[in-house]
Amino acid sequence: MRFLALRYFNEVARLGSIRKAADRLHVAPSAVSRQIALLEAELGTELFKRFKTGVRLMPAGEVLARQSHRVFRDLERARSGIDDLMGLRRGRISLWVIEGFVTGLLPGILSDFNQRYPNISFRVYTDSTDRIVEALLEDEADIGITFNAVSRPEIEVVAEFKEGISCLVAPSHRYAGRESLSLAELCTEQLALPVQSFGLRQVFDTAVANRGYDPRVLVTTNSLELTKTLAATGNAIAFMPALTVVRELAAGSLIAIPISDREFRTSRSSVSIHRDRPLSHAAADFLKVLVAQIQNLVDVQVRNR
């Protein structure tokens, strides 16, 4: 099989879209379509079902996707092994995180690490906790940062940071001066919530179901950034650990108020890896830096309370 065609196929299978794959590969969509057509002709079978909104793998495509994914991950491991021979002079790290860390903590951590090791690059993906765990299991991620993830025997939790979920309100909101709020009070307000695959939403839905509340949900979205932005307008209340909105709290655009109900006081963010796959030299060193810097911030927040 053509290596280029396999590479293009693998990217389309992962993203579910020829256009998105073309953007990621920095080529024209027609070039991707042409390579996939050549691959289908060579194999004598259809690999994708095409729709206006994207593509879906056919049975033959699912088989090829599983195998080609292993091929490219093996090549990535080979490259990592060669990079390890170079110490920390070069390398690439795949990092999957919940969205709040991308706009809050992560940019500073990446910038500091880059100043020390300028030839180490990152692939950073944001997704729900369920998808991040899947990425660790499927060998797509070297390191994952999750929220309230269910324990899995294959996943090793390197560090865990316990912090309650706060509600986020604008400084102009009528609740802005409160020291804590109950779920009953919050359910009378308009809420901006993440979709059900997010750990935050799962905590919220369980607590609401246990109490029989009927919340006023204004927006449901897969973007935590949108929920934060809506909260900052004063038209809705969002939910997040204060650790993930450090920038907004410092700027004064949002106020984090603890939620008094017990389910919201026992949440945790975890830094995890796959238990049976050793990290590259670069990823292992970055993991130490990541954990140390998050812990430092948690310690500062505890001292300031």
Side-chain angles (χ1 to χ4, degrees), residues 7-305:
R7 182 181 174 217
Y8 286 10
F9 165 82
N10 193 67
E11 201 68 22
V12 173
R14 189 173 65 83
L15 296 174
S17 166
I18 289 175
R19 180 186 58 77
K20 290 180 181 177
D23 289 344
R24 184 64 57 85
L25 294 163
H26 305 293
V27 298
S30 58
V32 176
S33 295
R34 185 165 56 252
Q35 289 298 325
I36 290 174
L38 290 171
L39 194 56
E40 289 177 325
E42 182 177 347
L43 295 171
T45 186
E46 191 177 17
L47 298 173
F48 292 108
K49 186 74 173 178
R50 276 79 166 172
F51 301 94
K52 289 183 178 179
T53 56
V55 298
R56 187 181 68 216
L57 286 167
M58 299 293 284
E62 291 177 355
V63 172
L64 184 60
R66 286 195 296 270
Q67 297 301 324
S68 65
H69 173 71
R70 293 192 184 102
V71 167
F72 284 100
R73 282 303 289 170
D74 285 345
L75 287 173
E76 190 69 27
R77 283 200 192 95
R79 177 172 179 165
S80 294
I82 294 170
D83 290 341
D84 280 348
L85 296 176
M86 307 289 292
L88 279 174
R89 281 181 285 171
R90 70 183 194 192
R92 183 162 58 188
I93 301 166
S94 177
L95 182 63
W96 287 62
V97 302
I98 52 178
E99 188 180 342
F101 276 88
V102 169
T103 55
L105 299 175
L106 195 57
I109 296 173
L110 292 177
S111 179
D112 290 346
F113 195 82
N114 174 252
Q115 289 180 20
R116 294 169 56 193
Y117 307 111
N119 293 320
I120 293 177
S121 61
F122 292 84
R123 287 181 176 175
V124 180
Y125 301 93
T126 63
D127 220 311
S128 68
T129 285
D130 290 349
R131 180 66 185 95
I132 294 169
V133 170
E134 180 184 337
L136 286 168
L137 294 173
E138 294 296 325
D139 203 14
E140 297 175 79
D142 295 317
I143 302 167
I145 301 178
T146 58
F147 181 77
N148 274 7
V150 176
S151 178
R152 298 285 296 263
E154 307 97 321
I155 302 297
E156 177 184 349
V157 176
V158 178
E160 196 163 76
F161 306 97
K162 295 183 179 179
E163 184 188 16
I165 299 173
S166 296
C167 63
L168 306 178
V169 303
S172 59
H173 196 279
R174 67 189 184 97
Y175 284 156
R178 294 284 297 272
E179 293 186 0
S180 68
L181 286 164
S182 68
L183 184 59
E185 292 175 297
L186 293 169
C187 285
T188 65
E189 302 290 320
Q190 290 194 130
L191 306 177
L193 299 175
V195 294
Q196 283 77 5
S197 60
F198 282 61
L200 280 166
R201 181 61 182 269
Q202 292 163 11
V203 171
F204 179 86
D205 284 351
T206 298
V208 166
N210 288 341
R211 291 162 177 76
Y213 295 156
D214 184 22
R216 296 174 58 198
V217 181
L218 173 64
V219 168
T220 298
T221 175
N222 66 347
S223 170
L224 292 179
E225 188 66 25
L226 177 59
T227 68
K228 289 191 297 183
T229 303
L230 279 171
T233 68
N235 290 328
I237 294 176
F239 297 83
M240 228 169 287
L243 191 65
T244 62
V245 285
V246 173
R247 185 181 62 183
E248 291 83 358
L249 296 180
S253 59
L254 286 171
I255 295 172
I257 305 173
I259 303 171
S260 58
D261 299 72
R262 58 180 175 79
E263 294 94 334
F264 295 87
R265 300 197 305 266
T266 57
S267 300
R268 68 198 189 282
S269 298
S270 305
V271 180
S272 303
I273 60 175
H274 196 290
R275 189 177 302 278
D276 299 323
R277 282 196 296 271
L279 293 175
S280 67
H281 194 71
D285 197 76
F286 177 74
L287 179 62
K288 295 176 185 176
V289 172
L290 177 68
V291 170
Q293 293 207 28
I294 296 175
Q295 186 62 62
N296 286 341
L297 185 58
V298 170
D299 291 343
V300 169
Q301 289 189 345
V302 169
R303 288 196 299 269
N304 291 338
R305 284 172 186 166

